[in-house]
Amino acid sequence: MVENYVLAKKIVSKKLDSNHTMYPFMVCSLYGLLCKYPGHEEMITSLFSTTDIIFEKGPVEEILRRHQIDMDFADPIPDDPESSISTLGVSNQGHSFLLDHGEVIYEKNKPFVICSTSYTNMTRLLNTFCHEMGHLIKGEENGFHHTMVNDQPTFIIRTGMAYIIYMYDKDFTEVELSNSFGVLDEAINCIQTTDVMKEILALDTFVEDDSIHSFIQSLDKEDMIKDHGYEDIVLLLRLFWDQDSFKDSIEAHIVHGGIDSIVSDFDSMMGDGSFQKMSEILEELYEMGEEYDEDRFNFLIDSFKEMSEQYRSQIKARKKDI
């Protein structure tokens, strides 16, 4: 813990003077992330140092436009300005594709995090920033892959559990765009962000710097230990997450991108295709609008709870066999 605190101050001090108003914020953020993702210190500090961090007032869409950032990647940010306030932050790994004389060119730009300082307070801003940094951390290693599928250039971008596949035809026209495990990944990231917040709160037990101690004291402690974003989905996912085998499997592989290992661990207990089914239930529940089929909704909820109970039973059975 102390080592991570010393390292966090060292890295942040290269960006900000210790008297800067955001210095305590950044030290606490980096400290929490280092504690949450142990063994990745070099990658996390390098990413933190090279990421463009933008905090500005206004809806996220307006901030993107101000900085002339392509918004295509930002889906599913809502088009309705009245609903945009629910989106407090976005992040991007810096992957981009260009069409140049009939050839698809890949470019890696600087990653960035954008957080709106409107509609929020310092506690929620801290959560939002750490949430977006969590996405970047879990996509930095093995986050991009280029291959050929049926002689078609194919690009895969991954962040955490979620990955997007771009495929181009012989005329270099995009012919396919698929997303996998997106809602599941957001729910996982929300839970892990809550863990980061708890690490920051624990920092106050030994920190001696007055400015950082004062910053932590100013935070809303009750709000920090709550899950924010995708709340209904997170509540369901915790039926699995709070069982150590599920959490341990994901946290052992998610940073490196070992998605196949995570799926295999789950399916070995629940049967082939079970992980995909679990993810699809969360996806469908999330996509249900205000007008939804109540019978279908209840069926999905019951199915998910049944899966979690089955998973719990499998864990107990395995422990008895040991």
Side-chain angles (χ1 to χ4, degrees), residues 64-115:
L64 287 164
R65 293 189 187 99
R66 271 183 233 139
H67 292 268
Q68 298 181 323
I69 296 173
D70 182 3
M71 292 181 60
D72 288 345
F73 83 92
D75 183 65
I77 292 178
D79 293 327
D80 180 4
E82 292 185 1
S83 63
S84 65
I85 61 172
S86 63
T87 302
L88 299 178
V90 292
S91 55
N92 185 270
Q93 296 163 278
H95 303 297
S96 64
F97 307 94
L98 297 173
L99 187 62
D100 185 20
H101 296 92
E103 183 178 0
V104 177
I105 305 296
Y106 164 74
E107 287 190 354
K108 179 66 167 73
N109 303 307
K110 290 181 67 175
F112 65 80
V113 169
I114 291 177
C115 294

Side-chain angles (χ1 to χ4, degrees), residues 181 184 273-286 300:
F181 302 136
L184 174 62
S274 295
F275 190 91
Q276 181 70 31
K277 177 183 177 182
M278 180 267 292
S279 176
E280 288 175 353
I281 290 175
L282 294 179
E283 196 88 26
E284 185 174 349
L285 285 169
Y286 177 73
L300 292 172

Side-chain angles (χ1 to χ4, degrees), residues 26-142:
M26 290 300 175
V27 170
C28 289
S29 298
L30 182 52
Y31 169 80
L33 293 166
L34 289 169
C35 290
K36 178 57 191 173
Y37 304 103
H40 304 284
E41 291 82 5
E42 183 175 348
M43 179 268 285
I44 292 172
T45 54
S46 175
L47 184 62
F48 194 90
S49 299
T50 56
T51 297
D52 283 336
I53 300 170
I54 302 171
F55 289 174
E56 291 184 9
K57 289 184 178 181
V60 167
E61 296 94 326
E62 285 187 10
I63 301 172
L64 287 164
R65 293 189 187 99
R66 271 183 233 139
H67 292 268
Q68 298 181 323
I69 296 173
D70 182 3
M71 292 181 60
D72 288 345
F73 83 92
D75 183 65
I77 292 178
D79 293 327
D80 180 4
E82 292 185 1
S83 63
S84 65
I85 61 172
S86 63
T87 302
L88 299 178
V90 292
S91 55
N92 185 270
Q93 296 163 278
H95 303 297
S96 64
F97 307 94
L98 297 173
L99 187 62
D100 185 20
H101 296 92
E103 183 178 0
V104 177
I105 305 296
Y106 164 74
E107 287 190 354
K108 179 66 167 73
N109 303 307
K110 290 181 67 175
F112 65 80
V113 169
I114 291 177
C115 294
S116 170
T117 57
S118 302
Y119 330 111
T120 189
N121 54 40
M122 191 59 73
T123 302
R124 196 61 63 86
L125 183 64
L126 184 68
N127 184 287
T128 300
F129 176 68
C130 290
H131 179 97
E132 297 305 330
M133 284 300 302
H135 280 312
L136 295 185
I137 288 169
K138 287 173 286 188
E140 183 67 8
E141 298 181 6
N142 302 314

Side-chain angles (χ1 to χ4, degrees), residues 15-28:
K15 274 196 168 188
L16 300 173
D17 185 85
S18 60
N19 293 321
H20 194 284
T21 55
M22 292 301 290
Y23 178 81
F25 179 103
M26 290 300 175
V27 170
C28 289

Side-chain angles (χ1 to χ4, degrees), residues 1-12:
M1 292 175 65
V2 176
E3 292 81 1
N4 286 335
Y5 179 58
V6 172
L7 179 58
K9 290 203 300 180
K10 176 182 177 181
I11 297 301
V12 174

